[in-house]
Amino acid sequence: MKNVYDGIIGLAIGDALGVPVEFQSRKNLIEAPVYSMREYGTHHQPVGTWSDDTSLTLALVDSIIETKEINYTDIMNKFTNWLLYQDYTATGEVFDVGNSTSRAIINYGRGIEPIECGGITENENGNGSLMRILPLAYYLHSQPDLTIECQMDTIHKVSSLTHRHPISLIGCGLYIMIAQNLLVGTTSLYESIEQGVKEAFAYYDQKNYPEVQAYMRLRNLYNFSQLSSTEIKSSGYVVDTLEAALWCLLTTTSYRECVLQAVNLGEDTDTVGAVCGGLAAIYYGVSAIPKEWLDCIARRSYIEGLCECLQNTLV
């Protein structure tokens, strides 16, 4: 298996690059693009600070380490500790909390079953489950005997902790299938993405998920990769975020170029950066991440330690 640290630190770097310019328009970023790590900005945070995307990703990592399985109650306990007690944060401060995620954690505190805590309505399809689900790719990849039905059931339940609508479930399914193909590491970036997309669509078509239509542009990956940036949205809608992340991967040739392109699309910069950063670092490896970015990322040794523990747990 490829090194867990690659994908997780790649996600954190993409997140931290986007934090200072979150919610800025694409027009503003065309005029003053991000080239390197910035400080302060939108959330007035020190350089290298990552947000809830990385915090909740690390909570999932820690849960897998401690339980050696996917334990939905334990995951929600850790999400609660993040929101209430600042566990897994970059600087001891929780900021930029998604509304759906916050409501789900409140639901859990009221005694609702973990996998029923997430919002189920169509307007609750933000990217809050997509942004934190990458560790699941490593867990599932370590168990090659699992059927795709079992894999998708687990993916959907981990998403449902905060986001239960089928559009969110499908976005997470597509993402994790792509990540697992990248973890195999035997084909090109394009071929790995294409194979992951095909596997996910085959599953959702067989199961008759009508909501898969929301991701229709990804069915023809070559045509999708030829779209111009004006045809790519970078909002917090889960479909837009996944499309933007994959488009950045398909239209660049390095980790650095990929995450900078993602962040400079504007709007939900930290999450688009995180989602594409995780996949890009799985493919290109941590050695492709600029040293000056790694050197300033918050709590780097903590992230390294967690990733090493997960690596050892999954062997």
Side-chain angles (χ1 to χ4, degrees):
M1 179 189 292
K2 288 194 174 186
N3 198 315
V4 172
Y5 179 63
D6 291 6
I8 304 304
I9 197 66
L11 182 151
I13 295 278
D15 182 6
L17 280 166
V19 163
V21 294
E22 188 179 14
F23 308 129
Q24 283 200 27
S25 69
R26 192 172 302 181
K27 180 177 180 293
N28 285 350
L29 288 168
I30 288 172
E31 294 170 356
V34 174
Y35 292 113
S36 61
M37 287 284 181
R38 293 183 181 181
E39 58 186 350
Y40 304 118
T42 302
H43 298 285
H44 204 69
Q45 296 294 322
V47 67
T49 300
W50 28 267
S51 71
D52 55 337
D53 305 58
T54 303
S55 293
L56 293 171
T57 298
L58 297 178
L60 178 54
V61 168
D62 197 29
S63 181
I64 297 171
I65 292 167
E66 289 190 7
T67 65
K68 296 179 172 55
E69 61 179 3
I70 303 301
N71 184 308
Y72 307 108
T73 298
D74 187 75
I75 295 168
M76 286 302 284
N77 284 338
K78 287 177 167 50
F79 287 180
T80 301
N81 289 342
W82 159 74
L83 185 62
L84 297 184
Y85 306 115
Q86 296 79 50
D87 287 1
Y88 310 107
T89 58
T91 61
E93 177 188 353
V94 173
F95 64 95
D96 194 26
V97 181
N99 291 331
S100 294
T101 297
S102 179
R103 280 195 295 270
I105 294 170
I106 291 169
N107 286 340
Y108 177 66
R110 290 172 174 161
I112 295 175
E113 286 296 307
I115 60 172
E116 296 177 2
C117 286
I120 194 68
T121 64
E122 193 164 357
N123 66 355
E124 291 180 282
N125 279 308
N127 51 28
S129 60
L130 180 70
M131 72 186 194
R132 59 167 170 80
I133 205 165
L134 184 61
L136 197 50
Y138 293 99
Y139 175 82
L140 295 174
H141 190 65
S142 73
Q143 302 191 46
D145 294 334
L146 284 179
T147 64
I148 191 165
E149 283 79 11
C150 289
Q151 292 183 55
M152 286 298 196
D153 181 64
T154 302
I155 294 164
H156 292 172
K157 285 177 178 174
V158 173
S159 175
S160 293
L161 298 173
T162 58
H163 294 71
R164 277 194 298 153
H165 191 277
I167 289 176
S168 289
L169 307 186
I170 292 166
C172 289
L174 281 159
Y175 185 62
I176 295 300
M177 288 298 112
I178 291 166
Q180 288 196 79
N181 275 277
L182 288 169
L183 286 171
V184 174
T186 57
T187 57
S188 70
L189 177 61
Y190 181 91
E191 289 168 330
S192 295
I193 295 172
E194 184 177 48
Q195 183 61 28
V197 167
K198 284 181 177 178
E199 289 172 4
F201 274 125
Y203 173 82
Y204 291 118
D205 289 343
Q206 181 189 8
K207 298 296 182 181
N208 295 315
Y209 274 75
E211 295 86 358
V212 78
Q213 288 294 112
Y215 297 91
M216 184 57 64
R217 295 207 299 181
L218 297 178
R219 282 193 186 272
N220 188 322
L221 204 62
Y222 175 78
N223 285 353
F224 176 75
S225 70
Q226 301 304 303
L227 296 175
S228 69
S229 61
T230 59
E231 297 171 281
I232 300 297
K233 296 179 182 178
S234 49
S235 77
Y237 177 43
V238 63
V239 178
D240 290 349
T241 297
L242 183 60
E243 283 192 347
L246 296 180
W247 181 81
C248 289
L249 283 159
L250 292 165
T251 55
T252 57
T253 57
S254 70
Y255 176 87
R256 182 182 188 278
E257 185 187 4
C258 179
V259 292
L260 289 179
Q261 180 154 288
V263 167
N264 285 315
L265 289 174
E267 296 188 56
D268 204 350
T269 52
D270 59 333
T271 302
V272 177
V275 170
C276 85
L279 295 182
I282 290 174
Y283 181 73
Y284 293 110
V286 69
S287 61
I289 300 176
K291 183 177 182 297
E292 62 270 23
W293 296 356
L294 286 167
D295 287 346
C296 73
I297 196 73
R299 302 188 72 187
R300 179 182 170 189
S301 61
Y302 170 69
I303 296 173
E304 277 186 286
L306 271 185
C307 290
E308 184 178 351
C309 287
L310 181 58
Q311 190 89 33
N312 294 335
T313 298
L314 298 180
V315 170

